[in-house]
Amino acid sequence: MNLGEALAASAAKAPDRVAVTCGAETLTYAQFDALADRLGDGLLSAGIGQGDRVALHMGNTIEMAASYFACFKIGAIAVPLNIRLKAAEIDYVLAHSEARLYIGEPGFYQRSADTPDSCPPDRFYWVCAEPAAGVTPFARLLQAPKRDALPRARSSDPAVILYTSGTTARPKGVTHSHDSLRGTAESTFTLGFRRDDAFLGWAPLPHASGLMLQLLPAVLAATEVALVPRFDPAAILRTLERRRCTATFGLPAGLQALCRALAEGSYDVSSLRTCVAGGDSVSPALQKEFKEKFGVSIQEGIGMTEALPISANRPGRIKIGSVGPPLDGMEVRIVDDQGAPVPRGVTGELTVRTSVKMLGYWNDPAATAAAVRDGWLHTGDLVRQDEDGYCWFAGRKKEIIVRGGSNVAPQEVEDVLLQHPAVFQAGVIGVPDPELGESVIAFVSLRERGGCCERELIDFARRLLSDHKVPGKVHFLESMPLGATGKVSRRTLKEWLPAAFGG
């Protein structure tokens, strides 16, 4: 069964059950399935066939969700675009994926003067953000003649190309099949998500987490997903209260913002029973604050666009600070630089062997071969595994700082800085040093202006870290630069470094 057929099956099983809500809009499964069918007819009438790429550039809207399933139903390949991308980044994704058609919200993309005339796609369908008189281009897609039957994709066919954030190089197009997407969504029910959950959908739908950990699990279970169009903590809490949502996935920075919003307003959040988090480290302070405010423990996990999730804490079996044990069906091996397994308790690269992983990188066989070796996906994440099988994240392999011949994981230093009560967010990078090779530099944003000084933070870190891991300098920012997934962008911090220190 492909994913389009999975939606049809849920509609047949529970036609009158709420499928998706967004603000005041509510669609039942019968209505949502019919909308995806009509949009599939429109794509076919626009000349889109099996295997063609369709760029989807919308936030968390019903149109975005329906566009995914329209592609799935006709065998087209969805290419979601993050709404934070700039014109040049969008140009690259459109050209690399050779998208034949673009569906997006007005204002998200203005072709730049540098965009070649030959850059695909040549057809654009805009979704109006506000109701307007007349027929919008998107509405015209929905007016296409209805076909007796839509072409059928095989479950092993490519379904989506998700472009990575490109922290070290050009973004790569992670390609997933219907089977791998379905397998990923099904795996979430081993995390504590239930088939009668109402999902709070605020993770971005163009991102792997929004698609795989909120939209698809809801559709497979024929249950509700309540979408929040943009990241707005108050709107998220209002949606949680109004729709009585029971399960959600979030990034730690977003969960921290929800805690702040809940402290500033009055919301009934008592329906929430499961919260899974990933994409960045969940500090013990955030764990404590979230449990106090929401009455729910955060289940921290780890995964990547290529295979999501890999490991996670389970309800009632949480080790704070860890990313939990591997999921069922995930064979995990921690290896050294030569690819040899390391003993329990020793840090190495996380590798995983599973059937629920990407097909490969779109049009990049060399990168695919480098990532998947002898059937093992090399994640680039450094972890150690304890005697109970729980994994503990230590940082990204390519971001390790080598100071005086010793390795320093930025994540470890950030975790220590986040233990200081005045620190809200932290980012640590390495910079060239003529004597030591690299030195450690920290950036922090504070909960309150003037909450601490540089000397205080350096002394605090020195009490908890080996001397070679202690930052030599600390720079204070009003707000930290965030990447497409909400994590602190160390690459941007490196770009800001000369301005930060006056050189």
Side-chain angles (χ1 to χ4, degrees):
M1 185 183 293
N2 65 48
L3 291 171
E5 291 168 330
L7 171 58
S10 290
K13 172 186 174 183
D16 299 325
R17 189 177 296 166
V18 171
V20 57
T21 67
C22 187
E25 291 184 88
T26 299
L27 292 184
T28 66
Y29 266 93
Q31 293 168 329
F32 186 46
D33 186 47
L35 176 61
D37 279 341
R38 288 167 55 208
L39 189 51
D41 288 327
L43 294 177
L44 292 169
S45 295
I48 298 301
Q50 288 187 313
D52 286 337
R53 275 73 67 201
V54 177
L56 306 178
H57 200 191
M58 293 163 273
N60 285 16
T61 63
I62 289 176
E63 290 88 353
M64 179 67 176
S67 295
Y68 265 129
F69 280 96
C71 291
F72 298 156
K73 281 176 174 284
I74 69 169
I77 303 174
V79 183
L81 300 171
N82 194 289
I83 63 174
R84 295 185 181 184
L85 294 180
K86 305 299 184 184
E89 296 169 311
I90 297 168
D91 290 341
Y92 173 79
V93 172
L94 294 178
H96 186 265
S97 66
E98 297 180 291
R100 293 196 57 209
L101 185 143
Y102 170 102
I103 304 173
E105 294 185 40
F108 281 179
Y109 177 45
Q110 290 83 36
R111 308 194 95 181
S112 66
D114 297 328
T115 301
D117 293 337
S118 59
C119 178
D122 57 5
R123 281 161 293 172
F124 293 80
Y125 292 85
W126 302 102
V127 178
C128 281
E130 301 289 341
V135 179
T136 68
F138 185 79
R140 282 199 293 272
L141 284 175
L142 301 176
Q143 295 178 344
K146 180 173 176 56
R147 297 168 187 253
D148 293 334
L150 297 175
R152 182 185 183 277
R154 295 172 300 180
S155 63
S156 58
D157 287 343
V160 67
I161 304 173
L162 295 154
Y163 278 83
T164 61
S165 56
T167 55
T168 57
R170 280 288 200 178
K172 295 189 286 290
V174 179
T175 307
H176 277 279
S177 68
H178 294 258
D179 280 335
S180 61
L181 290 179
R182 184 183 184 117
T184 297
E186 289 284 2
S187 73
T188 64
F189 297 111
T190 70
L191 296 179
F193 287 169
R194 293 175 12 183
R195 294 185 184 273
D196 61 347
D197 272 323
F199 287 85
L200 176 62
W202 57 281
L205 281 182
H207 187 259
S209 59
L211 173 63
M212 300 184 197
L213 303 184
Q214 65 186 30
L215 178 61
L216 292 182
V219 168
L220 293 180
T223 190
E224 176 182 343
V225 57
L227 299 175
V228 184
R230 303 286 186 275
F231 180 74
D232 177 341
I236 293 168
L237 293 176
R238 285 195 301 270
T239 302
L240 170 58
E241 179 179 53
R242 186 177 68 253
R243 301 304 307 178
R244 304 299 296 163
C245 296
T246 57
T248 195
F249 171 88
L251 297 165
L255 296 176
Q256 184 72 67
L258 293 187
C259 288
R260 282 187 170 185
L262 189 57
E264 296 168 357
S266 178
Y267 305 92
D268 181 358
V269 298
S270 60
S271 62
L272 189 67
R273 63 190 178 210
T274 304
C275 179
V276 177
D280 204 352
S281 177
V282 179
S283 69
L286 175 56
Q287 284 275 11
K288 181 175 183 291
E289 185 178 8
F290 195 86
K291 181 64 180 290
E292 289 173 350
K293 287 185 165 59
F294 288 84
V296 173
S297 296
I298 298 173
Q299 295 170 221
E300 186 175 359
I302 191 172
M304 58 194 305
T305 306
E306 291 86 340
L308 178 77
I310 295 171
S311 71
N313 285 276
R314 316 293 205 276
R317 295 184 288 137
I318 295 174
K319 285 191 179 185
I320 292 178
S322 81
V323 292
L327 272 66
D328 294 344
M330 290 284 176
E331 188 180 354
V332 163
R333 191 169 65 178
I334 316 300
V335 301
D336 60 20
D337 289 340
Q338 287 70 47
V342 301
R344 290 282 177 100
V346 175
T347 298
E349 183 183 6
L350 173 65
T351 66
V352 59
R353 185 161 61 185
T354 175
S355 61
V356 186
K357 67 178 186 299
M358 67 171 182
L359 295 173
Y361 297 114
W362 185 257
N363 280 343
D364 199 340
T368 302
V372 183
R373 288 171 254 161
D374 298 323
W376 290 89
L377 173 64
H378 289 245
T379 67
D381 289 326
L382 294 173
V383 305
R384 62 179 174 84
Q385 197 170 23
D386 66 20
E387 292 304 317
D388 297 322
Y390 282 64
C391 296
W392 299 75
F393 182 66
R396 291 286 297 167
K397 189 174 182 180
K398 291 183 179 179
E399 292 176 338
I400 287 294
I401 302 165
V402 182
R403 185 184 185 193
S406 297
N407 289 347
V408 180
Q411 178 81 35
E412 182 183 6
V413 183
E414 290 164 0
D415 286 346
V416 165
L417 293 173
L418 287 169
Q419 293 179 40
H420 192 286
V423 174
F424 175 53
Q425 290 178 313
V428 170
I429 61 173
V431 297
D433 184 289
E435 295 181 2
L436 298 173
E438 285 185 291
S439 58
V440 181
I441 303 295
F443 291 76
V444 300
S445 63
L446 301 177
R447 296 179 183 276
E448 296 180 5
R449 185 188 294 270
C452 67
C453 65
E454 181 183 38
R455 185 74 262 159
E456 180 181 348
L457 279 183
I458 291 175
D459 290 344
F460 178 81
R462 195 176 302 280
R463 291 197 295 270
L464 299 172
L465 292 169
S466 303
D467 285 347
H468 72 281
K469 299 177 182 178
V470 175
K473 291 183 179 180
V474 177
H475 185 71
F476 296 91
L477 300 176
E478 288 292 328
S479 60
M480 301 290 281
L482 304 179
T485 60
K487 294 188 288 187
V488 171
S489 172
R490 297 190 185 108
R491 181 177 64 174
T492 303
L493 291 176
K494 286 200 173 193
E495 294 170 355
W496 287 3
L497 191 66
F501 294 107

